[in-house]
Amino acid sequence: MSYDFDKEFDRRNTNSEKWDVLENELPMWIADMDFQTAPEIMEAMKKSIDGGIFGYQFVPDSYYEAVKNWFELEHNFKPETDWMVFSTGVMPSISAIIRHLTDVGDNILLQEPNYNSFYKAIESNGRNVTNSELTYKNDAYQIDWEDLKNKLSDPQTTVMIVCNPHNPTGHIWDAKTLSRIGQLAKDNDVLIISDEIHGDLSMPNNSYIPFASLDESIIDNSISLVSPTKTFNLAMLHASTLFVPNENLRNKVRRAISIDGHNEPGILAIDGTIAAYTKGHDWLSELRQYISINRQLLSDYVAKNIPELTVLKSDATYLAWIDCTKVTDDSAELNEFIRKETGLYLAEGTKYRGNGSEFLRMNLATNKSRVQDGLNRLERGIHAYINK
Ligand SMILES: Cc1ncc(COP(=O)(O)O)c(C=O)c1O
């Protein structure tokens, strides 16, 4: 590997949300990485800072070209630059779309368990979460098509958010599944929002399907959100791109983003994104390999030393979804216990709703020795919990 993912960084006292923990604690919860971003991106950002003038910026054509070329090279898909709208983040955009393109009291469909911030964006805007829960069987999740069809056909349901790839399970939806969802949504006049922030982070030899790469008639009814922030550990870059193939819808989305003030890039957003999307291919390829090694480490360790748990197979993300059914149905309590007992701080599945109360989510985007430390603590914590 030409990039050093083994290097350990001390993130304490850096205002890091993840690392705002006690001295003995090891945080493996919130979805950011303990790796420095790609040196090519750091170099571009340093150059922007060195300019020393931080006036208002517009989004240049080269930004949209960089997005297009990235998708063509990484995902074999060429989005039109005309479809693209810049915004300062995926969740701010989803929230703005909900606020301005739906009405108070509308139902927004989610497939639980699902990314916790979706609930906040829906409920704090006075809309309802409608859950078409994923069915869990034989250590894998599936869509209950009959239930999905029923919920989409409720006239109060106006939007469905597809998490593609899916957080917390790391599942990649295949093209057939996405098309079927898209067709059902279209038949019922339900808008699709496809959150693809984890799309670049598939495991080696895997790739995700951008929703906007599907059939023209389906994508006409969709908004996809992509960003380099999860991919390159740039959460605070506050940059994302929406693909909205339908022109009328795009104008409404642009207006929503602008009303809520999410259309103006911060100082590093443009240069950082362009550098990521033009120079980040090799770094990402090595990162994906590194994460897959960490995944293997976790699966092997759990199978050998913590047989009470099951690590779900996953095609994407650096997040592991761990089945604790044999240990508890209250993962919030279990998580708190493990943290107190061993200092390991995971994400309790409860906050993702659905059957998440029987799961823990572990962030594997850290150097191998920390992953090993986390596994040792997990083993100790689970066995202490069982024997308490
Ligand atoms: C599915 C998903 N969407 C959105 C976000 C956050 O996006 P942003 O930081 O651009 O608001 C996350 C972060 O974990 C995520 O997992």
Side-chain angles (χ1 to χ4, degrees):
M1 284 204 177
S2 44
Y3 299 98
D4 185 5
F5 294 101
D6 282 331
K7 191 167 168 191
E8 191 161 300
F9 294 93
D10 182 5
R11 298 181 63 196
R12 285 193 167 83
N13 306 312
T14 61
N15 300 331
S16 159
E17 202 164 326
K18 184 181 187 178
W19 281 89
D20 184 20
V21 291
L22 300 175
E23 204 47 50
N24 70 323
E25 290 188 323
L26 175 63
M28 298 178 86
W29 62 292
I30 199 171
D32 76 17
M33 307 198 263
D34 292 335
F35 309 124
Q36 263 185 350
T37 194
E40 294 83 355
I41 300 174
M42 279 167 45
E43 199 182 317
M45 287 181 163
K46 279 180 190 155
K47 215 167 137 196
S48 311
I49 298 283
D50 285 347
I53 298 174
F54 306 119
Y56 295 110
Q57 290 198 334
F58 65 93
V59 184
D61 290 346
S62 53
Y63 171 93
Y64 299 111
E65 282 299 321
V67 178
K68 183 179 85 179
N69 293 336
W70 174 262
F71 272 79
E72 189 174 8
L73 286 167
E74 289 290 326
H75 304 296
N76 197 21
F77 159 58
K78 217 170 164 174
E80 309 272 339
T81 51
D82 284 353
W83 296 352
M84 298 179 194
V85 177
F86 170 85
S87 90
T88 52
V90 169
M91 283 320 299
S93 306
I94 292 180
S95 198
I97 292 164
I98 289 172
R99 213 168 15 256
H100 300 289
L101 271 70
T102 71
D103 292 315
V104 169
D106 279 9
N107 293 342
I108 315 266
L109 194 145
L110 290 180
Q111 296 165 298
E112 298 184 9
N114 219 322
Y115 174 49
N116 52 315
S117 291
F118 292 150
Y119 303 114
K120 195 166 125 208
I122 295 167
E123 289 165 349
S124 60
N125 280 311
R127 278 68 172 169
N128 311 310
V129 172
T130 281
N131 170 26
S132 182
E133 190 153 335
L134 295 169
T135 317
Y136 185 62
K137 214 172 142 194
N138 301 330
D139 307 334
Y141 287 93
Q142 274 173 359
I143 294 174
D144 178 343
W145 289 104
E146 203 47 44
D147 182 67
L148 180 63
K149 203 168 147 188
N150 284 339
K151 303 235 160 98
L152 286 171
S153 66
D154 181 340
Q156 212 176 321
T157 306
T158 52
V159 169
M160 172 172 177
I161 302 177
V162 180
C163 197
N164 172 37
H166 186 259
N167 175 8
T169 67
H171 183 68
I172 289 181
W173 305 109
D174 62 24
K176 199 168 151 220
T177 302
L178 289 173
S179 298
R180 193 167 168 194
I181 291 174
Q183 189 62 51
L184 277 175
K186 185 176 143 79
D187 292 346
N188 290 288
D189 207 14
V190 171
L191 175 67
I192 291 284
I193 297 178
S194 182
D195 178 336
E196 304 183 1
I197 198 166
H198 295 278
D200 295 323
L201 292 164
S202 56
M203 291 303 92
N205 306 318
N206 249 313
S207 55
Y208 98 108
I209 311 291
F211 196 91
S213 68
L214 301 175
D215 191 78
E216 208 174 308
S217 65
I218 289 174
I219 67 171
D220 217 37
N221 179 47
S222 73
I223 300 166
S224 306
L225 298 107
V226 302
S227 170
T229 54
K230 214 47 79 183
T231 317
F232 292 100
N233 208 23
L234 299 166
M236 288 298 105
L237 194 67
H238 289 299
S240 69
T241 307
L242 298 99
F243 298 159
V244 195
N246 179 311
E247 190 182 352
N248 285 337
L249 182 58
R250 186 163 61 247
N251 289 336
K252 286 183 192 163
V253 167
R254 193 171 273 129
R255 187 163 168 267
I257 301 287
S258 153
I259 291 171
D260 283 8
H262 303 311
N263 57 332
E264 294 194 1
I267 174 64
L268 300 175
I270 301 301
D271 292 342
T273 301
I274 292 176
Y277 279 163
T278 53
K279 298 180 179 151
H281 298 281
D282 293 345
W283 187 91
L284 176 59
S285 163
E286 292 192 14
L287 171 77
R288 289 164 66 202
Q289 281 178 41
Y290 198 89
I291 301 291
S292 76
I293 292 167
N294 282 354
R295 256 191 202 289
Q296 197 59 51
L297 197 66
L298 166 72
S299 303
D300 293 348
Y301 190 91
V302 167
K304 192 163 164 227
N305 303 294
I306 331 176
E308 299 83 0
L309 303 183
T310 306
V311 180
L312 263 63
K313 280 208 177 65
S314 166
D315 332 293
T317 80
Y318 49 74
L319 308 164
W321 191 235
I322 305 173
D323 182 336
C324 308
T325 321
K326 291 187 194 135
V327 180
T328 186
D329 59 2
D330 185 352
S331 60
E333 188 211 43
L334 174 64
N335 198 32
E336 212 181 299
F337 179 88
I338 294 172
R339 186 173 180 185
K340 269 208 191 108
E341 192 75 15
T342 73
L344 175 64
Y345 178 15
L346 303 176
E348 68 277 12
T350 320
K351 66 177 162 202
Y352 309 101
R353 302 190 188 174
N355 72 341
S357 58
E358 297 176 352
F359 287 79
L360 291 169
R361 196 190 76 171
M362 184 179 221
N363 180 342
L364 296 169
T366 193
N367 55 306
K368 261 191 240 82
S369 59
R370 277 207 184 115
V371 173
Q372 190 55 59
D373 182 8
L375 293 174
N376 297 340
R377 294 182 195 225
L378 183 63
E379 181 184 356
R380 240 185 323 124
I382 292 289
H383 290 151
Y385 185 83
I386 292 169
N387 295 321
K388 80 179 156 95

